[in-house]
Amino acid sequence: MKPRNARLLLSLALFGLLAACGGENTKPTPPQAVRPATPVKPVKIGVALGGGAAKGFAHIGVIKMLEANGFEPVVVSGTSAGSVVGALYASGMNAFDMQQKAVALDEASIRDLRLFSGGLIQGQKLQDYVNTQVGNKPAEQLRKPFAAVATQLETGDRAVFVRGNVGQAVRASSSIPGVFEPVSIGGKTYVDGGVVSPVPVDAARQLGAEFVIAVDISSRASGQRPSGLLGAVNQSITIMGQRLGEQELGRADVVIRPAVLDIGAADFEQRGRAILEGEKAAMAAMPQIRAGIARLQQAQTAAIRTAEARTSAAQAEAHQRCQDSRTRIEKLRGVEKNCSAPAR
């Protein structure tokens, strides 16, 4: 073999050896595999407990059935009677604890008439009772996020109390005009939250609830012509509250209506029946609650999968751009760049 040919063959062999070594030392690095879908987090359930005086005992029955079926609310909002039950529940009591409190409740312990103010209830006893039950903790230290909704009398604006004195907030939320004295807080005057928000669905959303279960125990128009001037006024107020409440209830995921409309505002003797009606109404709503939560979880799963698919496609595209950026010699030698994406 001629020396020139021998040198040529030797050069080709060395080049091939170098190419083989380079390819072996820099193996292709595929895009990082997308992690399996993260399990869907539990849906944040909120309850919006409406006002209704003694009918409010029905809220206890509703909460009892929600807990029994695995749908424990994690945020609570309440108006008037709903704020009383809501505060106790947010403090850490379960439905059975609240039922025991309700059975043992002496009406005199929360009613303090003031003769010089026309026989109105002052509300201080109610405030003290609630604060005692929640361990005198401010709202921001309760176990569950809690909001009590009241109405600012000077402006008619909705007031949502989520911090500070729980009993005072409940007292303001429960100050039914003509029955309770208005409450002064921070130089402003507050009355019953039912004037602007009979069932506080929006407040529950503001607390972070993803699925809101509203409990409506508010009065309805009787369907009969009222007798006398006072009857006409009461019927008119009921109709206004009914129309106002319908708008906010439309923003709830599920509305539960216990059959307690015939229970009087001060009929504490009917507390046992009200609790039972709350249980019955909640059980009747369970299929709707399960279906609604399942739809929400499916939507969350679909959103996660879409996001992961986009991430995977973006990683593949970035990997290809990285490989396309190789020099001509690297491509001829079959050298793959290390284009691994950083760990997430």
Side-chain angles (χ1 to χ4, degrees), residues 40 292-306:
V40 178
I293 290 178
R295 284 193 299 270
L296 184 56
Q297 289 177 325
Q298 289 171 359
Q300 291 175 341
T301 300
I304 291 173
R305 289 176 178 172
T306 299

Side-chain angles (χ1 to χ4, degrees), residues 28 132 169 171 195 237 263 273 305 332:
T132 298
R171 176 183 175 185
V195 175
I237 294 173
I263 295 178
R273 184 193 148 209
R305 289 176 178 172
L332 287 173

Side-chain angles (χ1 to χ4, degrees), residues 9 43 51 75 104 117 125 141 184 196 204 214 218 265 272 301 316-317 322:
L9 288 174
V43 173
V75 299
S117 63
K125 280 191 174 182
Q141 291 183 14
S184 179
V196 292
S218 56
T301 300
E317 183 179 351
C322 176

Side-chain angles (χ1 to χ4, degrees), residues 68 131 133 140 161 163 178 180 186 209 281:
N131 278 333
Q133 299 305 316
E140 62 270 25
F161 294 97
R163 301 180 63 84
F180 279 76

Side-chain angles (χ1 to χ4, degrees), residues 42 60 129 131 150 177 181 194-195 221 280 282 307 315 322 341:
I60 298 173
Y129 172 81
N131 278 333
E181 292 181 1
V195 175
K280 290 162 60 177
Q315 288 178 343
C322 176

Side-chain angles (χ1 to χ4, degrees), residues 241-262:
Q242 185 176 336
R243 293 290 178 265
L244 177 64
E246 286 174 355
Q247 298 178 17
E248 193 164 359
L249 284 171
R251 295 189 285 274
D253 295 285
V254 173
V255 179
I256 297 176
R257 290 187 171 95
V260 293
L261 299 186
D262 60 331

